[in-house]
Amino acid sequence: MANNPHTNPNSNGPHDEKFKTSENSKSESLETYRSDAEGHDLRTNQGVRISDNHNSLKAGERGPTLMEDFIFREKLNHFDNERIPERIVHARGSAAHGYFQPYETAAKYSKAGVFQDPGKKTPVFVRFSTVQGPRGSNDTVRDVRGFATKFYTDEGNWDLVGNDMPVFFIQDAIKFPDFVHAVKPEPHNEIPQGQSAHDTFWDFVSLMPEATHMVLWTMSDRAFPRHYRNMEGFGVHTFRLIDKQGKARFAKFHWKPLAGTCSLIWDEAQKLWGRDPDFNRRQMWDDIESGNFLEYELGVQIVEEEDEHKFDFDLLDPTKLIPEELVPVTPIGKMTLNRNPDNFFAETEQVAFSPAHVVPGIDFTNDPLLQGRLFSYLDTQMLRLGGPNFHEIPINQPVCPAHNNQRDAMHRQTINKGQASYEPNSIDGGWPSETPAAPENGGFESYQERVDARKIRARSPSFGDHYSQATLFWNSQTDVEKEHIIGAYTFELSKVKRPWIRERVIKEILPNIDLELARRVGENHGIETPTSKPAPAEELGASTLVDSPALSLMARLPGNIKYRKVAILVADGVDADHVEGTKSRLEAEGAQAMVIAPSMAPVKAASGQTVSPDGMLNSEPSVTMDAVVVAGGAESVTTLSQSGDGVYYLQEAYKHLKAIAAIGEGRGCWPRPVFPCRRMVSSSGQR
């Protein structure tokens, strides 16, 4: 192909000067858009000072409001339109800023600039979310959690848009609208909000065996993260990484929390719906504000192209994972979330993610669910954020220069100079110009995968195994986790009104995972289950592994009490030395000690000192804590033990298997049935 005479001179020109981000690049770029009202007059959007913001303009004090009151009309008009359509899924979210820093191991897998320099910190913005519920739903519902990361790299934005579970409900994106319609509140009464315990969800998944693996994950403790800092993240799909030599490898992305993995249990989650529906977002916000930052390692599972078909499942099937025993996760970098957003709407609500946002060195595979997402996200953001210029919203802007010939449309912010809005051109010197795709130049080049096939609506037979990995997941759970799964299926199906749907799940789906699981759930519903697996052999599939310990939350329990919240129960007459000694020791280990009293009034210690409470028994319940300490002091212990709130606090902590300690008089003044000696482990990792 002949070189264009007008743009060819630019091919070897400077293009953009080599752009380098820093940890603070995104924060600095947002500074232009930050607005602090301190010291400023109240004005209209057109800059006119407002002298009276309490009264609309009327014809007389009791007369009608006048249409000419432009201040009133502007204020009400903006208010009437200040809500935008919420996301169809992942509507309820919370987010944080931070940075990513690669390890030396990263560069050998991908030529992406974000992986090249171990000394470089790339700014990121991460949004965590639930899937089913609307913006006003609860944080602790049984649901999948979104884990979406926007990297503001030197080469443009890269979005790693994943979940806290490594697989998904469906194999082909054409079924995504059906799945979402089924899991959302039922259309006739908009019930239930934020949960899957209803007929349409279970009707759909019981008729779609490919959903079985993901449903099992959702019935596990993975559905209730204790804290976002204890939540794993997964890219879900198989991607390609391309190195500087142009060699491609398959890759699965993993976020591993450095604080370990743990969860709430079902009863705790339900209580938190009423006590603190913002539990997860509040914890993240408070921890970041206090300097207890969230940390994750980014890891990859790498599969060479020649090994694509060596597994007993298809790499392109999004309902499958690669067990870590077969392909270990290689850590390639660390992410730290260390700054809260300045404004929830401007940043958390308006941020627009898409798996199609990639940079040179990262590319796609033919995963049919991924292929559909590449279209769907862009299409959704166009409507939700008011047109094709959503990339100009500050939180979505890349930190590197961005020039092209896309102009106009709604909400355009850029004032484009020059006459030429086309390429090639000679009027504006040929700029902006294409960048050659050679690695040293940085132009994006799609991986040249050979495709030789007929157009067909079908699925590969290699996608036909629907149960082997669900069985693998079940076999990998501890006895405690298995009991929680049995309880989850029992509860969820109790909310299904149509008996044939319950029977279909219990008799036709669960036995293919495990006969004992089916029997136990069936027993709880009075349904007799088969004695053999009813699915055909090709759907049952086969696994080279019996179990995979990495699939259990308990595989990565926190190894210390860092970041844990511990309640110290006190009342008047408490031993102040016990309080101060316990608090200082806990904080020395990185835990957060909270003094909890019957009220917020200062507590008078036995020594005459004053102890200031951090919270009350009924406002900071034990479900928000990881452990409880009863401080000594005879009068304090007597008061607490005769208080209904005090007794309930410990009973509830005991029920949820929290660590409970008593000091001095606290050891002998509590009724023994409150917490008889026993040693168990809860799903949150407490002993």
Side-chain angles (χ1 to χ4, degrees):
M1 180 177 174
N3 289 327
N4 184 283
H6 301 299
T7 59
N8 187 54
N10 295 332
S11 297
N12 298 315
H15 294 272
D16 294 323
E17 293 184 8
K18 196 67 175 177
F19 189 82
K20 291 292 184 182
T21 60
S22 69
E23 173 189 348
N24 298 317
S25 294
K26 189 57 186 178
S27 181
E28 292 165 359
S29 73
L30 290 175
E31 188 59 36
T32 303
Y33 304 97
R34 292 192 179 105
S35 177
D36 189 340
E38 185 177 353
H40 288 275
D41 296 328
L42 188 65
R43 297 172 182 256
T44 70
N45 288 335
Q46 305 303 316
V48 178
R49 285 187 173 88
I50 298 172
S51 61
D52 185 346
N53 190 44
H54 297 278
N55 303 287
S56 56
L57 187 64
K58 306 178 186 69
E61 290 181 353
R62 299 184 70 249
T65 299
L66 299 181
M67 193 172 182
E68 70 181 62
D69 188 351
F70 65 94
I71 296 175
F72 166 79
R73 285 188 290 111
E74 178 191 88
K75 186 175 182 180
L76 265 289
N77 178 263
H78 193 281
F79 172 78
D80 291 343
N81 292 278
E82 66 185 23
R83 290 293 176 265
I84 62 174
E86 67 176 34
R87 291 167 169 86
I88 297 173
V89 288
H90 297 277
R92 179 174 180 81
S94 50
H97 291 274
Y99 64 88
F100 172 78
Q101 192 166 6
Y103 300 152
E104 291 184 2
T105 52
K108 67 180 179 181
Y109 295 122
S110 172
K111 65 182 180 183
V114 67
F115 296 137
Q116 302 309 306
D117 181 3
K120 181 178 177 56
K121 296 179 179 180
T122 297
V124 299
F125 188 67
V126 178
R127 185 177 186 270
F128 302 104
S129 57
T130 55
V131 174
Q132 195 262 26
R135 283 186 60 191
S137 57
N138 289 286
D139 271 358
T140 59
V141 294
R142 180 182 295 281
D143 202 352
V144 186
R145 299 302 187 281
F147 193 133
T149 307
K150 186 179 290 291
F151 297 78
Y152 301 97
T153 84
D154 296 344
E155 301 171 300
N157 291 349
W158 169 39
D159 292 352
L160 180 54
V161 193
N163 289 328
D164 71 330
M165 301 180 189
V167 293
F168 201 65
F169 294 94
I170 53 173
Q171 294 174 329
D172 193 302
I174 200 170
K175 297 304 298 176
F176 191 70
D178 297 302
F179 164 70
V180 174
H181 290 166
V183 75
K184 280 287 191 178
E186 297 192 7
H188 65 299
N189 59 9
E190 193 68 7
I191 296 175
Q193 294 288 323
Q195 54 185 302
S196 54
H198 59 101
D199 285 41
T200 59
F201 172 77
W202 287 98
D203 185 39
F204 178 80
V205 298
S206 66
L207 294 168
M208 295 287 293
E210 67 197 62
T212 302
H213 188 196
M214 181 64 165
V215 172
L216 186 58
W217 277 77
T218 311
M219 295 300 107
S220 77
D221 294 329
R222 300 273 183 165
F224 310 113
R226 176 76 190 171
H227 192 304
Y228 290 139
R229 73 163 68 254
N230 300 119
M231 190 175 83
E232 285 187 282
F234 304 90
V236 179
H237 306 287
T238 299
F239 290 86
R240 277 192 174 91
L241 293 180
I242 302 169
D243 64 20
K244 292 180 180 178
Q245 288 70 46
K247 178 176 174 58
R249 297 175 176 88
F250 294 106
K252 291 269 195 181
F253 292 106
H254 295 247
W255 289 112
K256 300 292 187 184
L258 293 186
T261 56
C262 59
S263 72
L264 298 166
I265 57 177
W266 177 224
D267 189 67
E268 288 182 294
Q270 292 180 85
K271 285 182 167 62
L272 282 166
W273 291 2
R275 296 290 188 92
D276 188 358
D278 303 303
F279 179 68
N280 290 135
R281 68 165 59 176
R282 188 190 309 279
Q283 278 194 315
M284 180 169 71
W285 181 278
D286 289 348
D287 279 3
I288 290 176
E289 288 294 295
S290 63
N292 294 321
F293 303 144
L294 284 65
E295 298 177 315
Y296 307 83
E297 272 193 328
L298 179 62
V300 290
Q301 288 177 296
I302 297 294
V303 177
E304 301 292 340
E305 283 200 311
E306 56 269 26
D307 294 331
E308 177 182 0
H309 301 293
K310 77 172 186 179
F311 304 100
D312 47 27
F313 54 88
D314 196 318
L315 279 180
L316 303 186
D317 181 350
T319 68
K320 304 297 188 297
L321 55 82
I322 307 176
E324 293 184 29
E325 290 77 9
L326 300 182
V327 181
V329 176
T330 301
I332 61 171
K334 177 184 171 182
M335 179 172 71
T336 302
L337 301 182
N338 61 1
R339 184 170 69 82
N340 284 315
D342 293 304
N343 183 276
F344 185 92
F345 179 83
E347 298 172 82
T348 305
E349 189 62 20
Q350 289 196 125
V351 67
F353 296 96
S354 172
H357 297 163
V358 295
V359 293
I362 302 169
D363 210 338
F364 316 116
T365 63
N366 295 331
D367 173 341
L369 182 61
L370 173 61
Q371 292 286 316
R373 291 180 73 201
L374 299 179
F375 163 77
S376 180
Y377 280 69
L378 173 63
D379 200 43
T380 299
Q381 307 296 6
M382 294 269 283
L383 173 65
R384 195 176 72 86
L385 296 173
N389 287 318
F390 64 85
H391 63 281
E392 294 198 331
I393 296 172
I395 192 63
N396 295 320
Q397 290 183 12
V399 293
C400 62
H403 297 280
N404 54 46
N405 295 310
Q406 298 168 18
R407 299 190 179 187
D408 306 338
M410 292 181 67
H411 311 305
R412 186 68 174 179
Q413 304 297 307
T414 304
I415 301 174
N416 298 100
K417 297 171 65 176
Q419 288 181 260
S421 57
Y422 51 88
E423 193 277 331
N425 73 75
S426 62
I427 293 176
D428 289 335
W431 300 106
S433 175
E434 297 170 329
T435 301
E440 62 271 17
N441 295 311
F444 187 88
E445 181 181 22
S446 295
Y447 179 66
Q448 296 183 17
E449 178 186 12
R450 179 179 175 84
V451 178
D452 184 12
R454 296 180 179 179
K455 290 189 289 187
I456 184 173
R457 289 189 183 273
R459 294 192 193 180
S460 169
S462 58
F463 279 44
D465 168 7
H466 299 320
Y467 296 109
S468 68
Q469 289 208 346
T471 298
L472 177 67
F473 182 80
W474 170 259
N475 291 340
S476 304
Q477 305 304 293
T478 62
D479 290 342
V480 170
E481 291 170 305
K482 286 182 177 179
E483 289 298 322
H484 291 168
I485 290 172
I486 291 168
Y489 275 105
T490 300
F491 173 86
E492 292 269 321
L493 293 173
S494 73
K495 297 292 186 178
V496 174
K497 297 179 180 179
R498 295 167 176 82
W500 67 85
I501 297 176
R502 290 197 300 272
E503 290 186 13
R504 188 190 304 139
V505 174
I506 293 171
K507 299 175 73 171
E508 299 178 24
I509 299 293
L510 295 186
N512 299 319
I513 302 173
D514 183 82
L515 293 174
E516 180 64 11
L517 167 64
R519 186 192 68 77
R520 290 282 305 281
V521 177
E523 191 176 70
N524 291 337
H525 284 275
I527 296 174
E528 188 173 345
T529 56
T531 56
S532 61
K533 297 187 174 187
E538 59 271 19
E539 287 191 18
L540 291 174
S543 174
T544 55
L545 299 174
V546 175
D547 59 23
S548 172
L551 300 181
S552 167
L553 275 174
M554 300 211 173
R556 295 184 179 85
L557 287 177
N560 52 47
I561 62 170
K562 190 175 182 181
Y563 306 123
R564 295 292 186 152
K565 291 177 69 175
V566 182
I568 304 174
L569 303 190
V570 305
D572 286 341
V574 72
D575 188 318
D577 290 340
H578 287 175
V579 176
E580 289 305 313
T582 303
K583 192 170 185 178
S584 62
R585 182 67 185 274
L586 288 169
E587 291 175 349
E589 297 292 329
Q592 180 182 356
M594 296 191 67
V595 176
I596 306 298
S599 73
M600 291 303 292
V603 172
K604 187 176 182 180
S607 62
Q609 296 174 252
T610 297
V611 176
S612 298
D614 299 308
M616 299 191 303
L617 290 168
N618 59 6
S619 65
E620 295 287 347
S622 67
V623 288
T624 66
M625 301 292 165
D626 295 297
V628 181
V629 176
V630 183
E635 182 186 350
S636 172
V637 172
T638 299
T639 298
L640 290 170
S641 64
Q642 293 177 354
S643 159
D645 286 339
V647 173
Y648 181 72
Y649 204 99
L650 282 183
Q651 288 177 330
E652 190 176 53
Y654 174 74
K655 177 182 180 181
H656 298 143
L657 305 177
K658 309 286 186 182
I660 301 174
I663 306 172
E665 292 87 350
R667 290 177 291 185
C669 294
W670 293 90
R672 186 162 296 277
V674 171
F675 51 101
C677 181
R678 69 175 180 178
R679 182 177 177 84
M680 295 182 67
V681 181
S682 76
S683 59
S684 61
Q686 301 304 303
R687 291 185 180 274

